[in-house]
Amino acid sequence: MVFKKLLGALGVGGPSVDTVLRPGPALPGGPLSGEVRLRGGGSDVTVERISLLLVARVEMEGHDEEQEGTVVLERFTVGGGFRLTEGAEHAVPFTVTLPWETPVTELHGQPLGPVLGIRTELEVAGARDKGDLDALVVAPLPAQEAILEAFGQLGYGFKSADLELGHIRGTGQQLPCYQEIEIVPLAGQAHAVNEIEVTFLASPAGLEVVIEADKRAGLHSESHDTVHRFTTSLHTVPQPDRNAEVDAWLQQVIGAHTAHAAPYPYAQGGGHHHDDEHRRSGPGTGAVVAGVAAGVAVGVVGGMVAAEVIDEIGDAFEGDEDGEGDEEG
């Protein structure tokens, strides 16, 4: 067993920690289980608190260019209040519940691009130190997977996915960032629509689906975005019904998009535009992805493939090791 030393506030010779997550992808709103394994250092200490931080790498709009930073999406307290003697080993099992809006990092085993991690934080004698950092894999809920499946079966392709810092107005968004999945429009729509962006906002009550159409700018016109919000159930329905539902959404979004020209700002701190006046209700859930998964399978994931995403999890958060720039949700 390899333990990671805590060499910051706790000092060289302090306790070491290794967090082991249960194998397999987690689900938004689902349980995350594992074990925090501690080994005592050169002296006895009282472990006051063990925290797990759900962290994400997000894109944020700067004054001149887009930048990346680390955001804390959730903090869980999983243990504490015990004495760890010199050289002793102590295990703390845990089960926590992930936020319903936790971004999806993979689809059918293929990475989508967003990078999430679970960071272990130890508090000893009033000093907090960041220790272990583990990559977190999150698969879509059945309803989310079925909607992506519908895009593929309707002929749309997957382009990329990222996390944006900010809030979408008019929605029930809880986290400080949201995930955008970029979809390539059909060939017959290319003259009017440059790309389609899909955001899932899940909750125990159901699933909000935000669909944004980005209009291609013409020689004498400015590009603009049009957004629609739809609500659907988390329950499973036959895939043909899901396909019809998504197709109806797209017809409404693209049809309205060609008629709208006035932009409406929607993302606080961002540079996108949304118009949230259109709503529609429908059913919900899953199957196997066609065109969307095909785009992922050939590695169209922002230049990263599965192995690289896992190998670079430490590098992705390296710039925030000292805690600067972190935001807690």
Side-chain angles (χ1 to χ4, degrees):
M1 178 58 60
V2 177
F3 285 82
K4 282 89 171 182
K5 279 290 184 182
L6 302 178
L7 301 178
L10 303 186
V12 178
S16 55
V17 61
D18 181 39
T19 297
V20 180
L21 302 178
R22 178 174 293 176
L27 293 177
L32 177 67
S33 299
E35 191 175 71
V36 179
R37 300 171 183 175
L38 302 171
R39 176 177 293 167
S43 61
D44 296 355
V45 296
T46 297
V47 178
E48 299 174 357
R49 182 180 291 108
I50 302 173
S51 300
L52 299 179
L53 281 62
L54 172 61
V55 295
R57 198 71 176 166
V58 301
E59 294 183 359
M60 56 187 72
E61 296 288 340
H63 293 291
D64 300 318
E65 58 182 15
E66 198 169 69
Q67 300 174 337
E68 285 193 337
T70 302
V71 170
V72 178
L73 304 183
E74 188 65 273
R75 178 189 292 269
F76 310 96
T77 298
V78 297
F82 61 88
R83 193 74 173 167
L84 184 65
T85 59
E86 178 181 351
E89 295 186 2
H90 185 79
V92 179
F94 65 84
T95 297
V96 298
T97 302
L98 293 176
W100 280 92
E101 294 176 14
T102 300
V104 176
T105 67
E106 75 162 29
L107 183 63
H108 293 302
Q110 299 294 331
L112 290 177
V115 179
L116 301 183
I118 294 292
R119 182 182 294 286
T120 307
E121 187 177 81
L122 218 58
E123 187 171 339
V124 176
R128 292 191 304 179
D129 210 335
K130 295 177 179 179
D132 201 9
L133 176 65
D134 297 272
L136 178 63
V137 178
V138 180
L141 293 166
Q144 296 170 330
E145 182 177 318
I147 290 171
L148 295 177
E149 167 77 13
F151 276 101
Q153 293 193 7
L154 292 170
Y156 294 81
F158 171 81
K159 182 179 179 182
S160 65
D162 59 24
L163 303 182
E164 297 280 347
L165 185 66
H167 286 79
I168 303 176
R169 292 178 183 173
T171 68
Q173 181 185 343
Q174 300 295 312
L175 294 184
C177 64
Y178 54 93
Q179 181 172 19
E180 285 187 338
I181 301 174
E182 297 184 15
I183 304 295
V184 180
L186 302 178
Q189 301 165 345
H191 67 286
V193 179
N194 188 27
E195 64 183 21
I196 297 169
E197 296 175 339
V198 180
T199 296
F200 294 124
L201 298 174
S203 74
L207 181 63
E208 281 187 274
V209 183
V210 181
I211 302 180
E212 177 183 9
D214 181 13
K215 181 178 175 63
R216 187 184 300 274
L219 182 61
H220 302 292
S221 64
E222 296 182 359
S223 64
H224 67 274
D225 301 341
T226 301
V227 73
H228 291 254
R229 296 192 305 116
F230 304 96
T231 58
T232 191
S233 169
L234 292 174
H235 299 300
T236 302
V237 298
Q239 189 64 41
D241 293 342
R242 180 63 79 187
N243 293 358
E245 179 185 36
V246 173
D247 187 49
W249 293 348
L250 291 169
Q251 294 302 320
Q252 184 175 340
V253 171
I254 295 172
H257 183 69
T258 58
H260 286 190
Y264 180 81
Y266 84 102
Q268 299 173 358
H272 297 75
H273 303 285
H274 272 202
D275 178 343
D276 63 358
E277 63 185 7
H278 300 279
R279 305 182 186 183
R280 184 177 183 277
S281 298
T285 250
V288 202
V289 176
V292 176
V296 180
V298 295
V300 190
V301 189
M304 286 181 140
V305 295
E308 292 173 331
V309 171
I310 300 302
D311 289 344
E312 297 183 11
I313 179 71
D315 296 337
F317 294 100
E318 191 175 65
D320 300 283
E321 286 294 311
D322 57 2
E324 295 182 3
D326 284 10
E327 296 191 16
E328 296 190 13

